[in-house]
Amino acid sequence: AQSVTQPDIHITVSEGASLELRCNYSYGATPYLFWYVQSPGQGLQLLLKYFSGDTLVQGIKGFEAEFKRSQSSFNLRKPSVHWSDAAEYFCAVGAPGSGNTGKLIFGQGTTLQVKP
Amino acid sequence: DVKVTQSSRYLVKRTGEKVFLECVQDMDHENMFWYRQDPGLGLRLIYFSYDVKMKEKGDIPEGYSVSREKKERFSLILESASTNQTSMYLCASHGAVPPYEQYFGPGTRLTVT
C-alpha cells in the first residue's frame, strides 16, 4: 500500500537560513509527487509537483524539490527562509494508473516556525 | 484563476443535528473530494466523486454521506453530528489531465457541542 512519511513534525529555522523538509514515500513505481502549504486557518496551496522529466522541480515562493528514486524521497528546499514561510507543509503522493480519480495520500505534515 | 469555495468558514452545531457542508468549484472538474484534517493525522479522505451522481468511499466514510447532483457542487452530510466529528473539513477538486493536482477550498472549521 502507498504511504507517505514526513519524519519531522516540527521544524524551527531562523529567518534567512536555508530549509529542507523531508518526505519519503512507499510505492512500487514512480508516483506523482506534490508539496502543499497551509497557512493558519486556510486551505492547502500547491507549491510544486513532479510526475516526469527533470527530477529537480521549481515551485512558487522560491521553493524547489528533488525527486530521488533510489531513496524514495521528495525533499522540499528553500535557500533563504522568510518569516511569511511559517506554515504547515504537506507532502502528497498520487498513483499513476489509478485512472483519473487522482486520489492522493498525504503525509502528516511538518509545521515550520521561523525565528526573527 | 482556479476557485474552490466552501459554504462556511466556521460552523457550530449541536450533537444530533444534521449538518450540510457545501463545496463549489468553477473549473469544470470531474473529480471532487472531501477530507477531514486533525492535528497529527494529516488529511484523511472521507468521500470522493468522479462524476455527477457518482461517489466512492474514502478511508473514513463512517458517519458521513455525500451528494453530487451537479458537476460543480459536492456536499458533505453529517446525518447526526457527534462530538468526534469536530474537525477541519477541506474540499478539493481536480481535472482530467495528469498529474491531477488537487485544488483546495479554504476549509470549514466545524465544532459539534
Side-chain angles (χ1 to χ4, degrees):
Chain A
Q2 287 175 267
S3 66
V4 181
T5 302
Q6 293 180 243
D8 305 303
I9 296 173
H10 194 109
I11 282 184
T12 300
V13 300
S14 298
E15 190 168 17
S18 63
L19 172 70
E20 182 170 32
L21 302 183
R22 296 183 291 164
C23 174
N24 295 98
Y25 66 89
S26 173
Y27 182 64
T30 300
Y32 299 137
L33 295 161
F34 308 87
W35 274 100
Y36 285 86
V37 61
Q38 184 181 35
S39 298
Q42 303 297 314
L44 275 68
Q45 180 183 22
L46 181 67
L47 280 177
L48 46 78
K49 62 191 177 189
Y50 172 81
F51 63 104
S52 66
D54 193 345
T55 56
L56 184 64
V57 294
Q58 303 297 321
I60 62 171
K61 304 186 182 190
F63 285 92
E64 67 178 25
E66 186 171 12
F67 168 56
K68 291 187 177 180
R69 187 191 312 273
S70 61
Q71 298 176 19
S72 297
S73 69
F74 189 56
N75 294 348
L76 182 71
R77 301 194 294 247
K78 186 169 186 178
S80 178
V81 168
H82 187 261
W83 64 266
S84 61
D85 293 324
E88 190 159 19
Y89 292 80
F90 292 94
C91 181
V93 168
S98 62
N100 69 345
T101 57
K103 286 171 63 177
L104 297 181
I105 305 296
F106 285 85
Q108 293 181 322
T110 298
T111 300
L112 173 65
Q113 184 179 1
V114 180
K115 292 190 303 186
Chain B
D1 211 14
V2 166
K3 192 126 179 156
V4 179
T5 57
Q6 295 183 228
S7 51
S8 306
R9 294 298 304 277
Y10 300 94
L11 210 51
V12 180
K13 296 292 183 180
R14 294 192 180 277
T15 302
E17 279 192 85
K18 190 169 186 175
V19 181
F20 292 87
L21 303 182
E22 303 247 303
C23 174
V24 177
Q25 50 93 5
D26 66 357
M27 298 159 286
D28 201 35
H29 284 169
E30 290 79 8
N31 299 276
M32 297 186 74
F33 303 79
W34 275 106
Y35 297 91
R36 67 175 281 174
Q37 181 182 13
D38 301 288
L41 297 179
L43 276 72
R44 294 180 291 168
L45 181 63
I46 304 171
Y47 267 97
F48 69 100
S49 168
Y50 51 90
D51 202 351
V52 175
K53 297 192 185 295
M54 307 302 288
K55 61 186 180 185
E56 283 199 26
K57 294 179 180 179
D59 301 315
I60 53 164
E62 297 77 18
Y64 303 94
S65 63
V66 291
S67 171
R68 190 153 180 216
E69 297 296 320
K70 293 185 178 182
K71 189 175 185 180
E72 68 271 17
R73 190 179 298 269
F74 191 35
S75 301
L76 180 69
I77 303 155
L78 287 65
E79 295 288 343
S80 178
S82 65
T83 55
N84 63 11
Q85 292 178 309
T86 291
S87 186
M88 170 73 104
Y89 290 87
L90 293 164
C91 175
S93 71
H94 77 71
V97 178
Y100 313 124
E101 63 263 39
Q102 293 185 14
Y103 296 90
F104 283 82
T108 296
R109 171 79 60 188
L110 173 67
T111 302
V112 183
T113 62

